[in-house]
Amino acid sequence: MGIVKDRFKAKADAANIEIKQLLKDHGSKKIGEVTLAQAYQGMRGITGLVTETSLLDAQEGIRFRGYSIPELQEKLPKAHNGTEPLPEGLFYLMLIGELPTQEEASYITEIFQRRSHVPNHVFAAIDALPLNTHPMTMFVVGVMALQTESYFAKAYSEGINKKDYWETIFDDTIILIARLPRIAAYIYRRKYKNNEHIHPNGLLDWAGNFAHMLGYDDASFRELMRLYMTIHADHEGGNVSAHTTHLVGSALSDPYLAYAAGMNGLAGPLHGLANQEVIKWIFEMQEKLGTDLPAKEQIADYVKETLNAGKVVPGYGHAVLRKTDPRYTAQMEFGKKHMPEDKLCRTVWNIYEVVPPILQSLGKIKNPWPNVDAHSGALLVHYGMVEYEFYTVLFAVSRSLGVLASLCWDRALGFPLERPKSVTTESVKLWLEGKEQIWE
Ligand code: CMX
């Protein structure tokens, strides 16, 4: 892990000096205010975290270290004969803050390959679960079983100096990311493919090898996995999976514990599980209407039915974004390039025309536009991956790149235990009557 680890250390040392000075000069400056509504309603818009790897703009979407998704598609290294970015390159960018060369991305590929061996007890832990267990539960159980390997937990129990925390966090991060595709593919093959497993191909890149182990060797599916693993990797720090990983990591829980906690959050239907919900919802619509290419009017009626039943339209809306998610657009472009006539993709594009005005007409939804999850499933179904309960595991493998690169930064910058203040409604009422102060 030498070169990248040394570079990370040099960047972190420089950042530490800069941040120390910044806090000395400006530490008491106010970064925002908190309203009572924000305290009660999901803390939307409160700036209270530092996450170095990416930044989300409500209008423009995500930028990773300053680069938008189209820019990453252009500038990040590609696989041989490929046109989509290598997620290893994005990981390097998030970790080091600079675009990697082709050699630097290959170096990450190589260290992931060398560290990818998964110990048998992890498979045994997954095998102990009934086959009808949700794949995300299997995945988190697999990650938790792998926690026996944590260098950080071992070093901490042996009394490591706090200035060295980052080093074993870094080692755990690399090893965990390297092993996740094998764990995820094992779950897929166990649950859906008669427990027939496929050996890793040591000549392939991280996402290409993942596609191979899942059992999809089509060159364009590998390209899809490279794009998928890149665009799902990070979405700044406040989303449930990133924030949870950061929060749990702040207790000095090791990367296995922190990442598993974050992925339990990703498994919620308002977050990453929405990708399975989208396809489930479309399949149910197709069945109900008896067609695999419903007309726009039929889609509109089905959307209204969903809303009238008190359910959300999955894949639409966002807590921060206020325009179409560029991750949706990147996938739509992939679909138009590789499968323009695919009926499910065409349905997804028709839904895009139908849903926003309906949501807008309700008058309460802040963002009627599609998010990343509105599109991903249709591309997977095209290649034959119809087992939609598995989709959030793909999201989880990708998300490891961002939340674990961030965790390395958290420890390298010496971020302390996270502990915001909470209040009770009783104390709020007393405060409103002027009888009690509710902040320190
Ligand atoms: N369908 C129906 N109603 C929706 C909606 C949707 N797609 N999106 C928002 N709303 C509703 C909210 O439930 C809320 O209703 P109430 O006031 O009755 O409680 C109201 O509109 C206002 O919500 P908001 O401020 O616009 O959105 P939030 O920040 O509260 O929620 C999100 C954001 C993503 C949870 C929400 O848009 C949603 O539930 N979307 C569907 C699920 C989804 O696609 N999640 C994936 C997000 C991306 C990801 O994390 O992977």
Side-chain angles (χ1 to χ4, degrees):
M1 297 183 207
I3 307 170
V4 180
K5 200 170 176 181
D6 292 347
R7 274 182 205 166
F8 177 75
K9 167 92 170 95
K11 292 279 178 187
D13 284 348
N16 262 310
I17 293 169
E18 199 184 359
I19 292 167
K20 217 169 257 164
Q21 192 60 42
L22 197 129
L23 289 177
K24 195 167 162 228
D25 296 344
H26 306 289
S28 60
K29 280 210 173 112
K30 289 218 166 81
I31 201 167
E33 287 178 356
V34 181
T35 64
L36 201 50
Q38 285 172 313
Y40 272 94
Q41 294 170 341
M43 300 196 284
R44 297 292 189 287
I46 299 177
T47 306
L49 286 176
V50 173
T51 300
E52 304 287 6
T53 45
S54 64
L55 189 64
L56 181 57
D57 180 271
Q59 305 299 324
E60 196 200 42
I62 192 69
R63 278 185 180 267
F64 301 81
R65 295 281 190 180
Y67 295 98
S68 67
I69 285 176
E71 285 166 354
L72 290 182
Q73 284 176 290
E74 186 201 323
K75 293 180 198 297
L76 279 180
K78 319 275 186 298
H80 180 61
N81 286 335
T83 57
E84 297 300 343
L86 284 170
E88 293 93 317
L90 176 67
F91 179 64
Y92 182 98
L93 174 67
M94 289 190 290
L95 207 53
I96 307 296
E98 292 166 14
L99 279 173
T101 61
Q102 191 78 38
E103 290 68 38
E104 285 161 343
S106 302
Y107 180 75
I108 302 277
T109 301
E110 203 187 304
I111 56 175
F112 282 167
Q113 277 167 350
R114 274 197 267 125
R115 309 280 164 160
S116 62
H117 176 75
V118 175
N120 280 337
H121 74 271
V122 173
F123 301 126
I126 294 167
D127 286 344
L129 296 167
L131 216 51
N132 64 359
T133 307
H134 192 280
M136 274 305 279
T137 308
M138 292 191 188
F139 183 71
V140 173
V141 166
V143 172
M144 287 309 303
L146 199 55
Q147 192 266 347
T148 53
E149 309 297 290
S150 174
Y151 285 107
F152 176 77
K154 186 164 180 286
Y156 193 87
S157 75
E158 288 166 2
I160 191 179
N161 187 313
K162 58 162 56 169
K163 72 176 176 26
D164 298 326
Y165 288 166
W166 74 273
E167 244 194 291
T168 41
I169 294 283
F170 188 98
D171 296 341
D172 281 352
T173 287
I174 297 289
I175 290 169
L176 178 52
I177 295 173
R179 293 175 179 182
L180 289 175
R182 177 85 171 101
I183 295 175
Y186 184 86
I187 291 165
Y188 182 70
R189 304 288 310 177
R190 172 178 184 249
K191 191 168 164 82
Y192 303 112
K193 303 289 170 186
N194 297 322
N195 220 3
E196 288 162 9
H197 299 285
I198 298 171
H199 286 294
N201 178 342
L203 298 174
L204 285 169
D205 53 287
W206 185 70
N209 185 37
F210 186 23
H212 163 74
M213 289 187 290
L214 287 165
Y216 297 87
D217 271 322
D218 186 295
S220 69
F221 185 85
R222 281 186 200 158
E223 281 289 274
L224 174 62
M225 271 303 104
R226 291 170 189 132
L227 176 67
Y228 191 113
M229 293 294 132
T230 299
I231 63 176
H232 286 80
D234 208 32
H235 219 223
E236 74 168 35
N239 66 77
V240 171
S241 53
H243 188 193
T244 307
T245 307
H246 167 80
L247 169 69
V248 174
S250 85
L252 297 185
S253 305
D254 63 59
Y256 298 85
L257 298 168
Y259 170 71
M263 295 311 103
N264 280 318
L266 192 77
L270 296 189
H271 192 16
L273 202 82
N275 61 9
Q276 84 164 39
E277 295 301 295
V278 167
I279 288 301
K280 182 167 171 265
W281 181 76
I282 297 177
F283 282 172
E284 282 167 3
M285 169 168 66
Q286 289 177 340
E287 200 176 314
K288 178 154 193 239
L289 299 173
T291 170
D292 55 4
L293 193 59
K296 287 181 195 160
E297 301 70 41
Q298 290 177 297
I299 295 173
D301 287 344
Y302 193 74
V303 169
K304 285 174 196 156
E305 214 175 281
T306 301
L307 293 170
N308 288 339
K311 297 191 275 188
V312 296
V313 178
Y316 281 76
H318 200 273
V320 180
L321 278 170
R322 296 295 174 255
K323 287 267 168 69
T324 296
D325 191 336
R327 301 172 299 175
Y328 176 92
T329 310
Q331 296 179 95
M332 183 165 70
E333 282 165 6
F334 187 96
K336 296 209 159 152
K337 179 174 166 192
H338 293 275
M339 56 201 82
E341 296 308 323
D342 184 279
K343 284 187 182 162
L344 187 56
C345 283
R346 282 168 63 200
T347 300
V348 165
W349 303 332
N350 285 337
I351 292 171
Y352 182 25
E353 287 185 35
V354 168
V355 167
I358 299 178
L359 291 184
Q360 225 145 15
S361 72
L362 298 179
K364 65 170 185 178
I365 295 174
K366 297 194 190 70
N367 176 39
W369 303 106
N371 59 58
V372 66
D373 301 313
H375 208 306
S376 52
L379 301 176
L380 297 166
V381 171
H382 176 81
Y383 293 98
M385 189 184 270
V386 293
E387 304 89 354
Y388 53 73
E389 281 199 341
F390 185 73
Y391 294 170
T392 311
V393 175
L394 298 177
F395 196 157
V397 173
S398 167
R399 193 42 63 107
S400 69
L401 300 171
V403 299
L404 291 171
S406 285
L407 201 64
C408 290
W409 274 100
D410 290 349
R411 295 291 76 77
L413 296 177
F415 286 169
L417 181 81
E418 190 175 291
R419 205 323 187 168
K421 176 87 186 83
S422 69
V423 290
T424 63
T425 301
E426 205 45 47
S427 67
V428 166
K429 286 195 290 191
L430 290 170
W431 166 67
L432 290 171
E433 289 167 16
K435 290 184 186 154
E436 198 172 291
Q437 196 74 337
I438 53 175
W439 63 88
E440 285 165 20

